[in-house]
Amino acid sequence: MSVPLSSSKQATVFLLRLCLLKPQTPAIPYYPLHRHLSTEPIPPPQPPPQDEDSLINEAVQLFQALEDGHSNSTQLHQLLFSSSSPSSPGIFRQITRRLASSSQALEFFDYIRSNSPSQELTSLSFTFQAIFELASREPDPQNKLLELYRTSKERNIPLTVNGATLLVRFLGRAERVDVALAVVDELDPSLKNTHFYNVVVDVLFKSGRIVEALNMLDEMLQPGADCPPNDITGGVVFAALSGRKLFGRSISDEEIVGLVSKLGAHGVVPDSFKLTQLITKLCRNKKIGRAWDVLHDVMKAGGTLEAASCNALLTGLGRDGDFERMNTLMTEMKEMDIQPDVVTFGILINHMCKARRVDEALEVFEKMKGVSDGLSVEPDVITYNTLIDGLCKVGRQEEGLTLMDQMRSENKCMPNTVTYNCLINGFCKAGEIERAQELFDQMNKETVFPNVITLNTLVDGMCRHGRINSAVQFFDEMRSEGLKGNAVTFTTLINAFCNVNNIDKAMELFNQMSKDGCSPDAIVYYTLISGLSQAGRMDDASSVVSMLKEAGFCLDIVCYNVLIGGFCRKNKLDKAYEMLKEMEQAGVQADSVTYNTLISYLSKSGNFATAHRVLRKMVNQGLVPTVVTYGALIHAYCLYGKNEDAMKIFRDMSSSSKVPPNNVIYNILIDSLCKTNEVELALSLMDEMKVKGVRPNVTTYNAMFKGLREKNFLQKAFDLMDRMVEQACNPDYITMEVLTEWLPAVGETGKLKKFVQGYEVSVSTA
DNA sequence: CTAGGGTTAG
């Protein structure tokens, strides 16, 4: 690098070199890398050598005296500009730094310029930087710096990198991002360093200028770039990724993954906390693959991983049902010596339970406690609750109870409200309401306080097992003891009353809700609309729809389907079409259930042409006919005695459109064929079911028995009776009715007895 | 870690 010299003095040459050589020996050395960018200070000036120091002090005093009018300029002039003075760019900057204010410093700057017109531009740049530094420590630094920046431009003084950095930071704080960007453009590109880029990127992110920030980062991230990213760059970027955006667009998940990857290639990785935040965010946005990539980029870059980050990813993978990758990650954790914690095991156990793989969950549970391979992890109340819930959900509530005893004795871990809620739910679902109530009494004795979930669980249990009045009574008792219900309680009761067709009571509860200070949510409305539609009370359903809208809720697709189905059943096709039109206007797309409902009612009312037209529309909308679509048409053709048309559709669906018929489809056809005395054809369908692995159920057998009885095909009936027993398919009252009316009449009471016995045996072994 | 609703074919 060649340096134009204005003085022949050796010292000047030396100092000039010191100032200009970069980046190998920058005037301001590279700072140690701090973690916190915003507090990263401009480094303190190097103390000058002794003789220089006294010269600087003398100059400061002389200039201040000159300003105060106590002195003339001769002495200072001599000190600074005579041929014997060791004057240098560094010297002017040092003097400037010690002046009283930025305004005095500006005057000193002008003094130098007027007394030494041939002054090096570089020297002036550094002196001006010192003025910026002074201003930055004075009151109202932002406006002062903006003013000084304009002054520097008027006087054609190029910016130093540190001057520019200072300006960008303060202009950013003053929200003058455009001026800051002008500073960036103006700075000689060869002067730019990583620290400068870091400040610029930080300002851009904080002001929501994402595109500019990413472009700036791209410059740093180019392979072989002059200013590679450092840990501070990482701090700036990772803070921006997790920070909430108040303005500007946010950074897309793809951009996040790209940045982590590119920074990782430079050895810059987020700390454990930031990494965990990032992964959680990506998983919440259903970008599990992206989250996986981020974690593995950091792994590859050699960053330290903690269990928390892995736990975040495991949660996402679990929600995705991706057990394979969960296993892979666990293996990787082991390889990298990352100790799983109680949360890690909790996640594994939870997802195994949710997949109803409770025995495997119990294995993991034993493993975490086991001291065999190193550190054991103590299960906590959440671990126990997860397992107890898992056991209860698969009907193993007795084992759940055992586990509750175990947590008390082995781990001194006391059951809490959740523990009891899980068990109470387990016994309720199993229909053991008394046991559930016993547990409720027990928790009260142990002063584990029931909450609204306990209440709702018991109310639901009672309702589902035919004790609606007990449920209402229990609800009232709890309310008098201070445990209030919520929208869930009311939904449960409203649904229960709708199911027993007690619409008046359901409506009464709905009206009571608001009086009790419990505002209905959308689900309460949906439940009531469904109940009313099911009961055929479409006018009432419509008025609840109006109330729902008044309350600010919207109908969703399922609710529209319910209403359309209700109107169809009432033969109010015009109303059904009205709903269709309304949902279209509301931007709710009809789904296959909507179309199936219409097709079902059109074809059942004999309107096959319209049904097929709707079917074509369904396909045009990009929806695929389902087994229910075909079932509706097949059923209707059968009802109208058009077995051949039904069979044609049946052959169609299994061949061309690849919708395999299920037992409902076979049942419709077999029933219809038997009723029209085409029993042989029905039997061939039974054979086909066997070949295709479709399991007949009691409906299938009942249809066949009726058909076989008409033709008195005894042997075939015996064959089917044997198969029923083999398959442990329970006969129902229709089976028994048909067989007891038929077999004894033809002298086959023995076969009937054997059948019933076989059934009893199969029940006891099942 | 725990509680509520609604569709379509038999």
Side-chain angles (χ1 to χ4, degrees):
Chain A
M1 173 187 279
S2 74
V3 178
L5 301 177
S6 63
S7 161
S8 58
K9 291 276 186 193
Q10 280 303 110
T12 313
V13 174
F14 173 75
L15 283 168
L16 212 57
R17 282 239 166 97
L18 217 65
C19 294
L20 291 179
L21 289 182
K22 65 146 225 81
Q24 295 90 339
T25 52
I28 303 291
Y30 268 48
Y31 329 119
L33 302 177
H34 300 273
R35 284 237 154 240
H36 310 291
L37 176 77
S38 53
T39 57
E40 187 184 5
I42 297 288
Q46 299 285 331
Q50 201 70 70
D51 55 335
E52 243 182 60
D53 192 49
S54 54
L55 181 143
I56 292 164
N57 276 334
E58 201 181 333
V60 168
Q61 276 164 22
L62 282 171
F63 183 70
Q64 275 168 353
L66 182 67
E67 288 266 288
D68 295 344
H70 301 316
S71 150
N72 61 40
S73 91
T74 325
Q75 233 181 319
L76 182 61
H77 193 277
Q78 192 146 14
L79 185 67
L80 296 176
F81 304 114
S82 74
S83 56
S84 62
S85 338
S87 111
S88 72
I91 287 293
F92 292 149
R93 185 167 47 142
Q94 306 274 16
I95 295 165
T96 308
R97 276 185 171 137
R98 295 192 196 178
L99 291 171
S101 67
S102 58
S103 53
Q104 192 181 53
L106 190 59
E107 278 160 20
F108 179 66
F109 177 86
D110 289 335
Y111 170 83
I112 297 166
R113 275 251 288 219
S114 51
N115 285 282
S116 174
S118 64
Q119 191 56 245
E120 237 325 291
L121 207 52
T122 314
S123 157
L124 294 172
S125 284
F126 279 105
T127 307
F128 220 97
Q129 177 191 317
I131 305 177
F132 288 141
E133 287 165 13
L134 280 174
S136 73
R137 290 189 283 269
E138 291 171 358
D140 193 19
Q142 292 160 3
N143 281 323
K144 275 195 185 128
L145 283 167
L146 184 60
E147 197 49 49
L148 280 168
Y149 168 57
R150 285 178 182 143
T151 309
S152 79
K153 281 185 78 168
E154 277 162 20
R155 296 177 196 191
N156 281 319
I157 309 300
L159 294 168
T160 62
V161 64
N162 287 320
T165 308
L166 201 69
L167 283 172
V168 169
R169 178 180 292 156
F170 279 88
L171 290 168
R173 275 183 213 164
E175 291 174 22
R176 305 295 300 265
V177 184
D178 288 316
V179 186
L181 281 172
V183 170
V184 175
D185 278 344
E186 196 181 302
L187 180 67
D188 178 353
S190 71
L191 293 177
K192 292 179 183 173
N193 59 25
T194 295
H195 173 52
F196 173 73
Y197 272 103
N198 288 347
V199 171
V200 174
V201 169
D202 189 39
V203 161
L204 290 172
F205 271 134
K206 283 188 178 145
S207 52
R209 306 283 280 254
I210 306 300
V211 178
E212 283 104 327
L214 294 177
N215 286 340
M216 204 59 72
L217 274 169
D218 245 18
E219 286 179 28
M220 306 177 77
L221 293 166
Q222 293 302 320
D226 288 336
C227 306
N230 57 21
D231 283 356
I232 292 164
T233 323
V236 167
V237 174
F238 301 131
L241 297 189
S242 51
R244 278 182 52 227
K245 288 284 153 313
L246 297 174
F247 38 81
R249 76 161 172 89
S250 54
I251 308 168
S252 76
D253 292 335
E254 276 63 31
E255 285 163 344
I256 291 178
V257 179
L259 281 175
V260 173
S261 166
K262 284 187 208 159
L263 284 166
H266 285 87
V268 177
V269 294
D271 63 33
S272 189
F273 184 75
K274 278 274 174 297
L275 178 62
T276 308
Q277 273 190 325
L278 266 178
I279 291 174
T280 307
K281 182 185 172 212
L282 289 168
C283 287
R284 239 194 325 249
N285 293 349
K286 308 251 187 292
K287 305 273 174 68
I288 317 289
R290 297 295 183 200
W292 175 274
D293 293 343
V294 165
L295 189 89
H296 285 79
D297 280 333
V298 173
M299 251 185 217
K300 269 181 245 155
T304 42
L305 288 185
E306 284 172 17
S309 307
C310 299
N311 291 346
L313 184 53
L314 282 170
T315 304
L317 290 168
R319 225 175 12 211
D320 228 24
D322 195 342
F323 280 86
E324 210 175 300
R325 280 191 169 190
M326 286 176 90
N327 275 326
T328 311
L329 183 55
M330 288 300 291
T331 312
E332 286 169 341
M333 284 176 76
K334 200 168 183 178
E335 281 165 3
M336 298 187 65
D337 238 19
I338 302 162
Q339 286 300 328
D341 59 16
V342 67
V343 178
T344 317
F345 287 113
I347 295 164
L348 294 180
I349 289 172
N350 187 25
H351 287 104
M352 284 174 174
C353 286
K354 290 278 134 63
R356 312 191 115 233
R357 291 157 69 167
V358 187
D359 287 311
E360 287 162 79
L362 286 165
E363 276 173 36
V364 173
F365 177 66
E366 291 304 325
K367 224 182 194 165
M368 72 185 275
K369 293 194 296 182
V371 278
S372 53
D373 58 337
L375 293 160
S376 66
V377 178
E378 282 298 306
D380 61 9
V381 64
I382 296 182
T383 321
Y384 278 106
N385 289 349
T386 309
L387 272 170
I388 289 172
D389 187 53
L391 285 166
C392 288
K393 290 268 154 74
V394 295
R396 291 161 65 173
Q397 55 280 355
E398 300 295 344
E399 286 169 73
L401 270 182
T402 313
L403 206 54
M404 177 163 75
D405 292 338
Q406 193 184 316
M407 70 192 272
R408 278 199 184 109
S409 57
E410 278 186 20
N411 233 309
K412 287 174 227 120
C413 187
M414 292 315 282
N416 61 16
T417 306
V418 177
T419 321
Y420 275 102
N421 288 350
C422 294
L423 285 164
I424 288 172
N425 192 32
F427 282 102
C428 280
K429 292 279 142 71
E432 298 187 59
I433 308 297
E434 284 79 13
R435 298 282 301 278
Q437 281 169 320
E438 278 167 31
L439 280 163
F440 178 77
D441 294 338
Q442 188 185 328
M443 72 190 285
N444 279 299
K445 263 183 218 148
E446 288 180 20
T447 65
V448 175
F449 296 111
N451 60 16
V452 68
I453 298 181
T454 324
L455 166 68
N456 292 341
T457 305
L458 274 162
V459 167
D460 186 60
M462 293 176 191
C463 286
R464 280 179 202 273
H465 292 90
R467 308 184 193 183
I468 308 182
N469 291 324
S470 309
V472 174
Q473 194 188 331
F474 178 66
F475 180 27
D476 290 338
E477 278 169 29
M478 287 301 110
R479 185 170 29 208
S480 66
E481 286 178 30
L483 180 51
K484 282 187 147 188
N486 60 13
V488 177
T489 330
F490 283 98
T491 303
T492 307
L493 288 169
I494 288 170
N495 188 40
F497 280 113
C498 285
N499 285 339
V500 296
N501 214 15
N502 192 342
I503 304 295
D504 294 341
K505 191 73 188 162
M507 287 300 283
E508 192 187 311
L509 277 158
F510 179 76
N511 293 325
Q512 190 195 328
M513 238 186 125
S514 311
K515 282 181 208 151
D516 280 13
C518 182
S519 57
D521 61 10
I523 294 182
V524 178
Y525 288 104
Y526 293 161
T527 306
L528 202 52
I529 290 167
S530 170
L532 292 167
S533 298
Q534 209 76 50
R537 290 169 60 160
M538 295 316 292
D539 291 338
D540 291 330
S542 298
S543 64
V544 176
V545 169
S546 307
M547 291 162 77
L548 168 144
K549 286 177 182 164
E550 262 172 53
F553 297 109
C554 289
L555 296 177
D556 68 356
I557 179 63
V558 179
C559 209
Y560 277 116
N561 288 343
V562 165
L563 287 161
I564 290 168
F567 284 125
C568 283
R569 269 190 296 273
K570 281 278 163 185
N571 283 319
K572 292 185 171 171
L573 265 179
D574 51 334
K575 284 277 188 188
Y577 282 124
E578 218 171 85
M579 294 307 303
L580 267 175
K581 221 166 112 189
E582 190 194 309
M583 67 187 278
E584 202 177 315
Q585 279 164 357
V588 178
Q589 289 285 321
D591 66 2
S592 54
V593 176
T594 322
Y595 284 103
N596 289 348
T597 306
L598 290 168
I599 290 168
S600 170
Y601 285 98
L602 286 168
S603 52
K604 240 180 250 169
S605 50
N607 202 341
F608 289 100
T610 316
H612 280 282
R613 213 168 59 224
V614 173
L615 175 63
R616 276 196 297 276
K617 194 181 169 198
M618 174 182 184
V619 175
N620 286 338
Q621 298 282 314
L623 293 166
V624 185
T626 65
V627 69
V628 179
T629 321
Y630 292 111
L633 285 165
I634 290 171
H635 188 208
Y637 279 121
C638 287
L639 281 176
Y640 282 86
K642 300 180 174 181
N643 281 355
E644 275 152 44
D645 290 303
M647 285 302 288
K648 193 169 166 291
I649 290 174
F650 169 72
R651 293 298 167 209
D652 251 31
M653 68 183 287
S654 30
S655 60
S656 63
S657 60
K658 286 175 192 161
V659 179
N662 59 14
N663 61 1
V664 177
I665 302 286
Y666 280 102
N667 289 352
I668 297 166
L669 285 165
I670 287 170
D671 186 57
S672 183
L673 290 168
C674 285
K675 279 179 181 154
T676 52
N677 274 325
E678 297 171 86
V679 186
E680 287 85 355
L681 202 47
L683 279 167
S684 74
L685 284 180
M686 283 291 286
D687 292 338
E688 198 179 305
M689 287 176 87
K690 203 171 183 177
V691 173
K692 297 210 171 144
V694 180
R695 238 181 114 93
N697 60 13
V698 67
T699 313
T700 328
Y701 288 109
N702 289 347
M704 278 310 316
F705 288 138
K706 285 181 197 164
L708 292 167
R709 183 181 60 181
E710 289 306 310
K711 297 216 163 187
N712 204 28
F713 281 179
L714 268 176
Q715 192 49 52
K716 286 287 173 196
F718 296 154
D719 291 349
L720 290 183
M721 284 158 73
D722 288 343
R723 266 177 65 190
M724 254 185 111
V725 176
E726 267 171 47
Q727 294 181 341
C729 174
N730 296 352
D732 60 11
Y733 76 98
I734 297 174
T735 327
M736 298 316 295
E737 201 176 277
V738 175
L739 295 181
T740 51
E741 279 172 15
W742 178 23
L743 299 184
V746 292
E748 293 288 355
T749 312
K751 289 276 185 193
L752 180 61
K753 269 188 181 164
K754 208 173 140 234
F755 173 70
V756 176
Q757 280 162 3
Y759 162 68
E760 279 164 358
V761 169
S762 79
V763 161
S764 63
T765 51

